[in-house]
């Protein structure tokens, strides 16, 4: 039997939908509109959902304006993927340890991870710059990857730990009775059961890695060939004007592969978000 929503639940649903449409979907729609408008009409024409002057010319011209655009898109995906993989390699055993083991300063370190999430990368840019310079990592991929991993590990540990705590301990105890070690049980029992949660955490880490590239790239890197897309979009800014339509076209082109990948993972994301809702 399907329960009817109360008036307050309906208000909550409508409010959430309105906020999503206004602050998430509408910016993408506006970016798409701007990318189709000629520069001569961009600042003078009134707002319309569709116009006869719309064209795909900006999507053709952007490759000429910024010849390295394809490389920038590749760099963004590569950096975000590298950050995600390295972060998950650290997060999985660490989150399992926090979910199952007792050790000194466990609660204190968890609180420290939570406190780290309160600070943005901008607060530590100067110390990070000095550290990366002393390690001779400036102007390399590692200058963007390492800070990304460092800032996303605490988030990953907190998210995955709460999911692993929902997995019944009896499954692990049965493996221990059969002589399995802790690491073997993690690989063969826990990780297969935690795949939906791993996908959710990995997706969250990937989004975070993609979003923070701009700050680290413009601070720690001066080499064009390894710039990610957010920093590469600066090349659409000229001395006299900004080719907004080409910039919006390039931005949409850069996020399109990521959006398609997330649509492919949609059913796994939903499964991971709801799997821990019912306690065993």
């Amino acid at each position: 039997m399907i329960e009817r929503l109360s008036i307050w639940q309906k208000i909550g649903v409508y409010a959430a939908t309105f906020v999503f449409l206004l602050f998430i979907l509408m910016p993408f729609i506006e970016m798409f509109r701007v990318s189709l408008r000629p520069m001569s009409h961009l600042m003078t024409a009134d707002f319309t959902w569709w116009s006869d002057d719309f064209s795909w010319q900006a999507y053709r011209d952007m490759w000429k304006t910024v010849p390295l655009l394809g490389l920038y898109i590749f760099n963004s995906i590569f950096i975000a993927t590298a950050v995600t993989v390295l972060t998950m390699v650290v997060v999985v055993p660490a989150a399992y340890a926090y979910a199952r083991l007792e050790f000194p300063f466990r609660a204190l370190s968890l609180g420290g991870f939570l406190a780290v999430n309160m600070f943005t990368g901008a607060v530590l840019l100067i110390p990070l710059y000095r550290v990366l310079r002393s390690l001779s990592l400036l102007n390399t991929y590692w200058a963007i990857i390492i800070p990304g991993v460092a800032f996303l590990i605490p988030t990953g540990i907190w998210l995955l730990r709460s999911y692993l705590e929902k997995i019944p301990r009896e499954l692990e105890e049965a493996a221990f009775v059969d002589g399995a070690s802790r690491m073997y049980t993690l690989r063969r029992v826990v990780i297969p059961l935690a795949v939906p949660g791993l996908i959710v955490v990995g997706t969250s880490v990937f989004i975070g890695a993609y979003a923070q590239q701009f700050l680290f790239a413009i601070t720690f890197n001066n080499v064009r060939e390894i710039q990610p897309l957010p920093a590469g979009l600066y090349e659409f800014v000229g001395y006299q004007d900004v080719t907004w339509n080409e910039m919006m076209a390039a931005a949409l082109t850069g996020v399109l592969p990521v959006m398609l990948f997330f649509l492919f993972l949609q059913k796994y994301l939903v499964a991971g978000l709801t799997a821990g809702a019912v306690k065993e």
Side-chain angles (χ1 to χ4, degrees):
M1 181 178 179
I2 300 178
E3 297 182 1
R4 293 182 178 273
L5 295 177
S6 68
I7 182 63
W8 294 110
Q9 289 173 327
K10 290 181 180 179
I11 292 175
V13 171
Y14 294 147
T17 303
F18 174 78
V19 171
F20 171 79
L21 293 176
L22 182 62
F23 295 103
I24 303 298
L25 189 58
M26 280 300 297
F28 282 97
I29 295 176
E30 180 63 16
M31 288 172 63
F32 182 64
R33 287 184 60 260
V34 171
S35 69
L36 297 178
R37 270 281 168 89
M39 279 295 298
S40 57
H41 296 172
L42 193 58
M43 301 300 179
T44 58
D46 296 331
F47 178 88
T48 56
W49 288 106
W50 192 258
S51 176
D52 293 336
D53 64 356
F54 282 0
S55 71
W56 300 99
Q57 187 62 38
Y59 289 86
R60 294 187 288 268
D61 293 341
M62 64 181 185
W63 306 102
K64 301 176 184 178
T65 305
V66 181
L68 294 180
L69 179 60
L71 181 60
Y72 295 155
I73 295 174
F74 168 81
N75 287 339
S76 282
I77 297 175
F78 169 74
I79 292 171
T81 302
V83 170
T84 302
V85 171
L86 293 176
T87 302
M88 295 303 292
V89 167
V90 176
V91 162
V92 171
Y96 178 72
Y98 278 105
R100 289 291 189 260
L101 304 179
E102 294 290 340
F103 50 88
F105 306 110
R106 175 176 176 270
L108 181 62
S109 57
L110 271 176
F113 287 145
L114 186 61
V116 168
N117 287 333
M118 299 171 61
F119 299 94
T120 64
V123 178
L124 300 176
L125 280 182
I126 295 177
L128 280 173
Y129 183 90
R130 294 175 63 89
V131 170
L132 293 172
R133 185 180 62 179
S134 64
L135 296 175
S136 300
L137 294 177
L138 293 178
N139 300 321
T140 66
Y141 283 116
W142 292 111
I144 309 174
I145 293 174
I146 292 177
V149 173
F151 277 97
L152 290 170
I153 283 177
T155 302
I157 290 177
W158 266 96
L159 292 175
L160 189 59
R161 167 183 165 269
S162 61
Y163 187 91
L164 295 179
E165 288 179 340
K166 303 296 183 181
I167 297 177
R169 292 176 179 266
E170 291 78 9
L171 299 175
E172 299 170 61
E173 292 171 356
F176 296 150
V177 170
D178 292 335
S181 64
R182 178 72 69 175
M183 289 304 299
Y184 183 88
T185 303
L186 173 62
R187 294 196 311 269
R188 298 294 185 177
V189 178
V190 177
I191 290 180
L193 293 173
V195 167
L198 292 173
I199 293 176
V200 171
V201 176
T203 301
S204 301
V205 171
F206 186 91
I207 294 173
Y210 208 94
Q212 67 184 8
Q213 291 177 359
F214 176 76
L215 186 63
F216 295 145
I218 63 174
T219 307
F220 305 140
N221 176 53
N222 291 320
V223 180
R224 291 184 63 197
E225 286 73 16
I226 62 176
Q227 287 282 35
L229 179 63
L233 291 177
Y234 255 127
E235 296 190 19
F236 289 101
V237 180
Y239 289 105
Q240 301 294 332
D241 57 3
V242 181
T243 53
W244 291 109
N245 53 350
E246 294 180 21
M247 181 185 289
M248 296 300 102
L252 287 174
T253 303
V255 301
L256 183 61
V258 180
M259 294 175 64
L260 293 176
F261 181 67
F262 286 157
L263 288 175
F264 172 76
L265 291 178
Q266 182 180 8
K267 62 179 181 180
Y268 301 104
L269 292 174
V270 173
L273 290 171
T274 58
V278 179
K279 189 173 181 179
E280 298 291 339

